[in-house]
């Protein structure tokens, strides 16, 4: 099925007899790696500079220094990044780079940011103010995938507290939070999208705050995990954003890929909570290249990420919201060797050597 849907010439090697394949295995691997290097290099070139976003995680002990990372990003026409906390060395390297940055906070900081104005002011003065004139902050995300959790109740007070601290520092930077697909109790078809009761209690007031301030909401949306867990009902090309025809029909809307369906289900769920036309940013999406699960292959990862990059370059929206392109950040920039073993270590677009 995968071979019939992806037209890479080197895949024909795997259709030869087993004996021939075994005799030429090393040469085949070389051809695959060489082809992928070329494809990945071409992935980031083009005239649409400024549209491609990536997540820059640092849970590894073998990554290049931030100044080399920022140079790599610029050389590949990647102009938007998301970092998970205000790493001082990364913020230093970002100064004057022109890259647009989503910066996160430590989850453990949220209670104090929301309850202690002095702590919130110090957070801004330490992590934002020194860089505000030389770094382009897209927004600040308070909490990563904390809904539902015990810290969910601290998110809105933290957003309000940080907003006040930013205003007091004469800084105009949106504040937000990051949620994931677990906030949905239903997502198929997209129009059935509904927030789970445990999520709605926290997320609806947050969405109302964001809407009132014209701030975006960050949504982590993966197609890999639903496909991995339900290959019987989900087509591989639908999960890889590779289908050429409508796969799911939902009223007047047609869906050719699972990412669109997931994001629109989230839009519908927010509307049912009373919040419409809220800007949603896909803050994480990606596909692992290894790690033990059968769909986690270099070919699938390259296909998914290439399709996402093409989409970003073309500024494509979703069927429910076609007029506005979907701002998206691929997860992740590097493989990270200190994450949990398995696919979690293999979402990188690049190896720590900075090779594709």
């Amino acid at each position: 099925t995968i071979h019939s849907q992806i037209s890479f010439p080197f895949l024909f090697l795997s259709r030869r007899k087993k004996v021939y394949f075994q005799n030429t295995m090393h040469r085949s691997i070389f051809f695959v790696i060489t082809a992928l290097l070329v494809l990945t290099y071409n992935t980031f070139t083009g005239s649409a500079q400024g549209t491609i976003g990536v997540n820059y995680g640092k849970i590894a002990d073998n990554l290049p220094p931030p100044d080399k990372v920022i140079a790599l990003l610029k050389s590949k026409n990647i102009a938007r990044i998301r970092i998970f906390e205000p790493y001082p060395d990364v913020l230093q390297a970002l100064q004057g780079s022109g890259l647009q940055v989503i910066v996160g906070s430590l989850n453990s900081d949220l209670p104090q940011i929301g309850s202690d104005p002095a702590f919130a002011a110090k957070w801004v003065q330490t992590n934002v103010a020194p860089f505000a004139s030389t770094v382009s902050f897209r927004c600040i995300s308070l909490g990563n995938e904390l809904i539902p959790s015990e810290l969910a109740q601290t998110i809105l007070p933290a957003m309000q507290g940080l907003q006040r601290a930013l205003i007091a520092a004469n800084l105009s930077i949106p504040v937000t939070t990051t949620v994931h697909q677990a906030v949905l109790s239903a997502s198929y078809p997209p129009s059935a999208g509904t927030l789970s009761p445990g999520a709605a209690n926290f997320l609806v007031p947050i969405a109302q705050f964001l809407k009132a301030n014209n701030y975006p909401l960050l949504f982590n949306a993966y197609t890999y995990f639903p496909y991995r867990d339900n290959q019987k009902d989900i087509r591989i090309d639908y999960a890889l954003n590779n289908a050429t025809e409508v796969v799911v029909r939902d009223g007047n809307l047609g869906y050719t890929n699972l990412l669109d369906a997931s994001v629109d289900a989230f839009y519908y769920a927010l509307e049912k909570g009373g919040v419409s036309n809220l800007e949603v940013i896909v803050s994480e999406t990606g596909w692992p290249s290894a790690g033990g699960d059968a769909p986690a292959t270099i070919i699938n990862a390259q296909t998914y990420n290439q399709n996402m990059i093409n989409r970003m370059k073309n500024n494509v929206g979703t069927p429910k919201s076609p007029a506005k392109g979907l701002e998206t950040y691929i997860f992740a920039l590097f493989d990270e060797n200190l994450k949990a073993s398995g696919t979690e270590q293999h979402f990188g677009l690049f190896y720590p050597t900075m090779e594709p």
Side-chain angles (χ1 to χ4, degrees):
T1 301
I2 296 174
H3 290 178
S4 68
Q5 293 160 352
I6 305 174
S7 57
F8 294 125
F10 48 78
L11 282 181
F12 290 111
L13 288 169
S14 64
R15 297 190 178 118
R16 307 285 179 85
K17 293 180 180 179
K18 282 186 178 180
V19 173
Y20 179 82
F21 179 73
Q22 289 169 352
N23 290 339
T24 60
M25 179 175 62
H26 293 296
R27 185 171 61 182
S28 299
I29 291 171
F30 172 78
F31 289 157
V32 169
I33 292 172
T34 302
L36 286 172
L37 287 172
V38 173
L39 285 166
T40 307
Y41 176 80
N42 290 336
T43 285
F44 298 104
T45 59
S47 61
Q49 184 171 1
T51 64
I52 299 171
V54 298
N55 286 264
Y56 175 14
K58 297 188 68 180
I59 305 178
D61 60 7
N62 58 354
L63 297 183
D67 60 330
K68 293 187 181 298
V69 174
I70 302 308
L72 172 69
L73 294 172
K74 296 181 70 174
S75 74
K76 299 301 183 183
N77 288 343
I78 300 171
R80 294 174 177 168
I81 69 166
R82 174 177 175 237
I83 57 177
F84 294 88
E85 58 184 88
Y87 307 112
D89 56 346
V90 176
L91 291 171
Q92 289 283 352
L94 281 166
Q95 293 188 97
S97 67
L99 274 66
Q100 195 173 70
V101 185
I102 294 176
V103 61
S105 68
L106 293 173
N107 290 338
S108 58
D109 283 345
L110 266 62
Q112 277 188 281
I113 291 175
S115 63
D116 185 349
F119 185 89
K122 183 178 179 181
W123 198 96
V124 169
Q125 291 303 319
T126 301
N127 300 309
V128 183
F131 310 101
S133 63
T134 55
V135 174
S136 176
F137 288 103
R138 174 67 173 92
C139 57
I140 300 169
S141 176
L142 292 163
N144 185 39
E145 298 185 348
L146 290 181
I147 301 175
S149 77
E150 292 182 358
L151 284 174
Q153 62 185 345
T154 69
I155 297 172
L156 182 55
M159 291 166 59
Q160 294 167 330
L162 193 66
Q163 182 193 48
R164 289 190 292 267
L166 289 165
I167 292 172
N170 200 28
L171 296 172
S172 180
I173 302 171
V175 296
T176 186
T177 192
T178 304
V179 299
H180 59 153
Q181 289 156 296
V183 300
L184 298 174
S185 61
S187 60
Y188 180 85
S191 61
T194 308
L195 296 174
S196 68
N201 292 338
F202 302 106
L203 188 51
V204 169
I206 287 171
Q208 291 170 340
F209 169 84
L210 296 173
K211 177 68 175 178
N213 288 280
N214 198 29
Y215 295 162
L217 178 60
L218 308 188
F219 182 53
N220 293 345
Y222 288 88
T223 65
Y224 168 76
F225 297 107
Y227 173 73
R228 180 198 65 183
D229 297 338
N230 189 12
Q231 297 178 46
K232 177 177 177 291
D233 297 321
I234 299 175
R235 285 170 40 175
I236 181 67
D237 58 346
Y238 186 64
L240 289 172
N241 296 347
N242 218 34
T244 57
E245 76 281 357
V246 170
V247 177
V248 172
R249 177 67 63 179
D250 188 5
N252 295 326
L253 302 181
Y255 292 87
T256 61
N257 66 82
L258 183 54
L259 180 72
D260 278 348
S262 299
V263 174
D264 277 359
F266 190 47
Y267 281 133
Y268 278 111
L270 291 170
E271 287 180 358
K272 290 171 186 174
V275 182
S276 59
N277 299 317
L278 178 65
E279 181 182 7
V280 171
I281 294 173
V282 176
S283 42
E284 288 182 30
T285 192
W287 197 285
S289 60
D293 295 337
T297 67
I298 290 177
I299 302 300
N300 286 345
Q302 196 278 332
T303 301
Y304 184 83
N305 290 325
Q306 178 71 71
N307 287 334
M308 287 308 307
I309 290 163
N310 291 343
R311 177 192 184 116
M312 285 185 266
K313 287 181 177 180
N314 293 325
N315 202 31
V316 176
T318 69
K320 181 170 170 53
S321 183
K324 180 176 174 55
L326 186 64
E327 185 176 334
T328 305
Y329 295 76
I330 293 175
F331 186 90
L333 186 56
F334 295 111
D335 281 353
E336 296 175 67
N337 67 342
L338 297 183
K339 286 195 163 186
S341 61
T343 57
E344 284 294 309
Q345 295 185 357
H346 298 281
F347 273 88
L349 292 168
F350 296 91
Y351 293 110
T353 57
M354 299 195 294
E355 295 175 326

